[in-house]
Amino acid sequence: MKVLLTVLDGISDRPIKKFDEKTPLKKSDTPNLDHLARSGVNGILDPISPGIRAGSDTAHLSLLGYEPRDIYTGRGPLEASGAGIKVKKGDLGLRCNFATKENNEVVDRRAGRISNTSELVKSINEEISEIEGVKVFFKESTGHRAGLVLRGKNLSNKITDSDPKKPHKEPKKIKPLEKEAKKTATILNQFISETEKILKDHPLNEKREKRGDLPANTVLLRGAGKVPEIDNIKTKYGIKGGLITATGLIKGIGKICGLDIIEVPDASGSVDSDIVAKAEKTLEVIDDYDFILLHIKGGDEASHDGDPEKKVKFLEEKIDPAMKKIVNNLDNENVVKAVTADHTTSSELKDHTGDPVPLTINSSNVRKDEVTKFSEETYKGGINRIKGRNLMPILLDLANRTEKYGA
Ligand code: ZN
Ligand code: ZN
């Protein structure tokens, strides 16, 4: 049997006062999601462990069966890999924003929400390929974002960020946090100053200024991390896996774990994304794979915006029609269908919390329970409460893909 794991990013929530203490999941009318719960086995899941406020990156690593504490040093290498840089073990990766600086102050961390930076990236790559014997790889990602990778000897991720995180602050000099990181900090500060020289009179920036748009005249760096040594999905579980997501960070995780990235042109990673197109893509490719991870982002975004109504609307108008495609077209005999979240995102706190998330597993061989709705109350079901890292073994066992342990 095959496995389809759908991760609804940040979909669980805490009770919302204006919803009479209901969560968005409890308030939503989602017949197809509920059908999966009603005819499946249910539980709740602590993405990393109870009370830990997981990021999307560490949570996804855990859901795929990895121990984030052993391999995660920062978001940078995942973003850089997601942007399309072919990273290698030991590389140093960073997240990068194109930004606007005036009088040594960052006036806009997103350079007027610039949407295409490929011309800028091309010019930077033409001028900078190596600094102090260390190779430099730079690549644009969505919007104002980009990824940066350094490859060479004696690099360290124990450095500070240059990103001041708030507007109207000076960009910070990158500082080493240990003696061994001095060289890394020097190289990155040099990368920033050389990049600023290239961007200063760049034709694209001149065009932008003429139009009244802010120029992208600096880069802000953060999230330094080392590319970990990691067993890929194939070696770890003996399966061929694919990933459908519109989010750069999750693509990066997929690449590092050895999942094929399956592109869906109309998916945006936002509440306006075409989720049905993602479900249709899943149906189209599932025959070629043993395992598909389908990641749907919009719910998390609505919660970060503090907008639980938007979360309900996204559940009812985007997620549930996509689930309908899956319910109607993937039969229970051949596919184990699981739905969960990577963490809870509280619409009132506008951030992730450590609350567990719902989990539903639906296939012909699960022991059905009495849960009738996909919500935070799936704890009443037969799986009870598990950790993120327990999920893959359970799914692969239900798909009859695991070996006996012992005689
Ligand atoms: Zn997330
Ligand atoms: Zn989030």
Side-chain angles (χ1 to χ4, degrees):
M1 285 171 87
K2 294 171 184 294
V3 175
L4 169 63
L5 170 59
T6 304
V7 177
L8 305 174
D9 202 309
I11 206 66
S12 46
D13 212 308
R14 286 183 173 174
I16 308 284
K17 282 192 195 79
K18 59 181 163 185
F19 289 173
D20 282 337
E21 305 298 326
K22 281 189 179 135
T23 63
L25 273 174
K26 278 189 82 177
K27 193 176 165 62
S28 299
D29 179 22
T30 52
N32 296 288
L33 209 43
D34 298 346
H35 168 83
L36 287 171
R38 203 180 318 111
S39 53
V41 63
N42 299 272
I44 51 172
L45 175 151
D46 292 292
I48 293 176
S49 53
I52 301 296
R53 294 189 164 185
S56 290
D57 43 13
T58 47
H60 273 80
L61 286 169
S62 189
L63 290 174
L64 288 168
Y66 299 93
E67 170 52 86
R69 281 184 190 86
D70 294 343
I71 54 176
Y72 182 81
T73 53
R75 185 166 170 165
L78 304 169
E79 290 274 4
S81 166
I85 301 175
K86 288 205 172 73
V87 299
K88 287 187 182 165
K89 186 194 147 202
D91 285 354
L92 183 81
L94 294 108
R95 308 172 67 187
C96 183
N97 271 22
F98 279 95
T100 308
K101 195 165 104 173
E102 267 170 33
N103 305 321
N104 210 28
E105 205 178 70
V106 177
V107 293
D108 188 344
R109 287 183 63 253
R110 301 186 180 99
R113 292 213 171 248
I114 191 165
S115 58
N116 188 343
T117 61
S118 56
E119 278 179 55
L120 304 175
V121 170
K122 188 165 170 260
S123 304
I124 293 165
N125 281 327
E126 276 164 12
E127 300 281 329
I128 311 172
S129 60
E130 220 178 274
I131 301 174
E132 294 201 16
V134 168
K135 285 206 166 70
V136 178
F137 303 91
F138 189 54
K139 183 106 174 60
E140 72 276 13
S141 179
T142 48
H144 56 280
R145 301 175 194 88
L148 175 67
V149 163
L150 300 184
R151 184 173 299 158
K153 288 197 182 104
N154 306 320
L155 296 170
S156 168
N157 62 305
K158 301 279 190 293
I159 51 168
T160 59
D161 296 338
S162 82
D163 188 345
K165 307 265 160 77
K166 287 182 192 137
H168 303 291
K169 291 249 157 71
E170 250 181 70
K172 295 176 186 162
K173 271 253 170 290
I174 291 180
K175 291 195 189 108
L177 296 170
E178 61 177 21
K179 223 168 70 201
E180 295 72 24
K182 240 176 113 175
K183 174 182 160 188
T184 308
T186 307
I187 292 171
L188 291 171
N189 285 320
Q190 196 178 327
F191 174 81
I192 295 169
S193 63
E194 285 184 27
T195 300
E196 287 182 351
K197 278 182 216 150
I198 298 163
L199 295 175
K200 191 168 169 282
D201 301 312
H202 195 282
L204 183 79
N205 276 331
E206 284 177 356
K207 262 191 244 163
R208 288 181 66 79
E209 285 186 282
K210 253 189 217 147
R211 282 203 303 260
D213 288 336
L214 291 171
N217 57 12
T218 190
V219 287
L220 305 172
L221 305 180
R222 65 199 152 115
K226 284 290 198 75
V227 176
E229 165 127 63
I230 193 166
D231 266 351
N232 72 38
I233 288 281
K234 190 146 201 180
T235 336
K236 198 173 164 70
Y237 303 118
I239 53 173
K240 184 183 176 200
L243 167 66
I244 297 178
T245 179
T247 306
L249 178 68
I250 308 300
K251 280 185 194 168
I253 288 171
K255 283 186 183 165
I256 281 176
C257 300
L259 297 171
D260 288 351
I261 312 297
I262 300 153
E263 300 288 349
V264 180
D266 294 327
S268 68
S270 260
V271 285
D272 64 1
S273 184
D274 188 347
I275 309 299
V276 169
K278 281 179 153 179
E280 282 168 346
K281 191 58 145 184
T282 304
L283 301 177
E284 189 187 314
V285 300
I286 197 155
D287 282 348
D288 299 334
Y289 290 95
D290 305 312
F291 170 75
I292 299 272
L293 171 56
L294 170 60
H295 170 248
I296 297 172
K297 178 76 179 168
D300 182 58
E301 186 191 82
S303 285
H304 282 293
D305 291 345
D307 193 342
E309 282 95 355
K310 191 156 82 180
K311 201 169 184 178
V312 169
K313 199 164 175 252
F314 184 70
L315 268 160
E316 293 181 348
E317 292 175 14
K318 297 280 186 172
I319 291 177
D320 207 56
M323 288 301 133
K324 186 175 179 182
K325 287 264 164 203
I326 284 166
V327 168
N328 289 349
N329 293 288
L330 292 181
D331 76 74
N332 274 357
E333 304 288 324
N334 294 319
V335 186
V336 178
K337 287 162 280 191
V339 184
T340 190
D342 55 345
H343 47 75
T344 294
T345 311
S346 160
S347 299
E348 286 180 355
L349 293 177
K350 301 182 186 179
D351 209 347
H352 304 184
T353 68
D355 302 273
V357 301
L359 166 66
T360 280
I361 306 176
N362 188 299
S363 71
S364 58
N365 53 7
V366 298
R367 298 170 180 170
K368 277 204 249 172
D369 57 34
E370 322 237 303
V371 171
T372 55
K373 183 161 177 60
F374 185 82
S375 77
E376 291 77 359
E377 291 186 9
T378 46
Y379 70 85
K380 293 172 180 162
I383 302 172
N384 305 134
R385 185 169 186 160
I386 61 167
K387 286 186 187 177
R389 266 180 304 136
N390 304 139
L391 181 61
M392 283 300 280
I394 292 173
L395 297 178
L396 294 172
D397 175 52
L398 284 168
N400 301 322
R401 283 178 174 273
T402 41
E403 304 269 320
K404 183 156 63 178
Y405 175 56

